[in-house]
Amino acid sequence: LFLQFLFHTYTAAFTLVNGNGTPKAEEYSVQQKQILLGLGAVSYSACVGALPLTFVNRYALKSSLMQLVVRKLLPAPLLGLTSAFTVAMVRSPEFDNGIEVMDRNGKVIGVSKKAGEKAVMETALSRAVLFGTTFFLPEVLMYCVQRARLVRNPRALGPARMFVTMSVLAGMLPVSFSMFPQCGEIKRADLEPEILSSTEETEFFYNRGI
């Protein structure tokens, strides 16, 4: 539980610092609501992440199928979902307040809640892919390594697992960040009428954040 809490605290802080960088976003970056939602999301995600293993240990469920599901299969999708949830909660003020949208020349046209929703959802999805893949793929690779008996010394499995995990994480970071462009694009039809009334532009752009 403690390690889960530390992990989600770090990701929440990273999300808070690297959210949408427009002046409108800066006005609510330290709102009490955002901080409370972030703390709530971190606590909830940590509990959800630790619950399956706690349940198995508490009731001494030692069947091979249960151990496979809880220790090998469940952590990756669970971590991906809770990471996406944390992003959505920490950056939830962008849903309520909106973010600035610009034309192709960089001129600010207005503040759009729909653009804020799109930016947060894209970031949450990329975070889910990053951590979900980082914890799923090493398990598959280590299973193949053990089946092929490439590592014969049991003591070497720990360092090998750590090396594989770090390698996958290093490879997934650029993939995750490049899933959606940093300068996101939103169509005219997807914006609010009050913004459209002030311009004839057909394409608009926004800062997605990380």
Side-chain angles (χ1 to χ4, degrees), residues 68-171:
L68 174 66
V69 171
V70 172
R71 295 183 182 275
K72 303 295 183 181
L73 301 180
L74 191 58
L78 201 58
L79 189 63
L81 289 174
T82 53
S83 297
F85 173 76
T86 301
V87 171
M89 289 296 99
V90 171
R91 292 182 56 178
S92 61
E94 295 179 28
F95 288 110
D96 302 329
N97 297 35
I99 61 175
E100 290 181 349
V101 291
M102 303 159 285
D103 61 17
R104 61 180 65 256
N105 298 317
K107 178 183 177 182
V108 176
I109 303 299
V111 175
S112 170
K113 293 182 181 180
K114 292 184 178 180
E117 179 179 346
K118 191 169 184 287
V120 174
M121 290 297 99
E122 289 175 347
T123 305
L125 178 58
S126 67
R127 198 67 58 80
V129 170
L130 169 62
F131 291 118
T133 305
T134 299
F135 279 80
F136 174 74
L137 195 55
E139 292 294 338
V140 175
L141 294 176
M142 288 304 299
Y143 174 79
C144 295
V145 167
Q146 289 177 282
R147 284 294 299 270
R149 297 183 179 179
L150 298 178
V151 179
R152 299 184 181 278
N153 187 348
R155 295 182 179 179
L157 287 176
R161 184 183 299 274
M162 180 67 68
F163 174 77
V164 170
T165 301
M166 295 302 296
S167 299
V168 173
L169 177 60

Side-chain angles (χ1 to χ4, degrees), residues 190-203:
D190 296 330
L191 289 176
E192 294 86 342
E194 55 269 25
I195 296 178
L196 301 179
S197 62
S198 62
T199 180
E200 296 297 325
E201 292 284 343
T202 58
E203 295 180 345

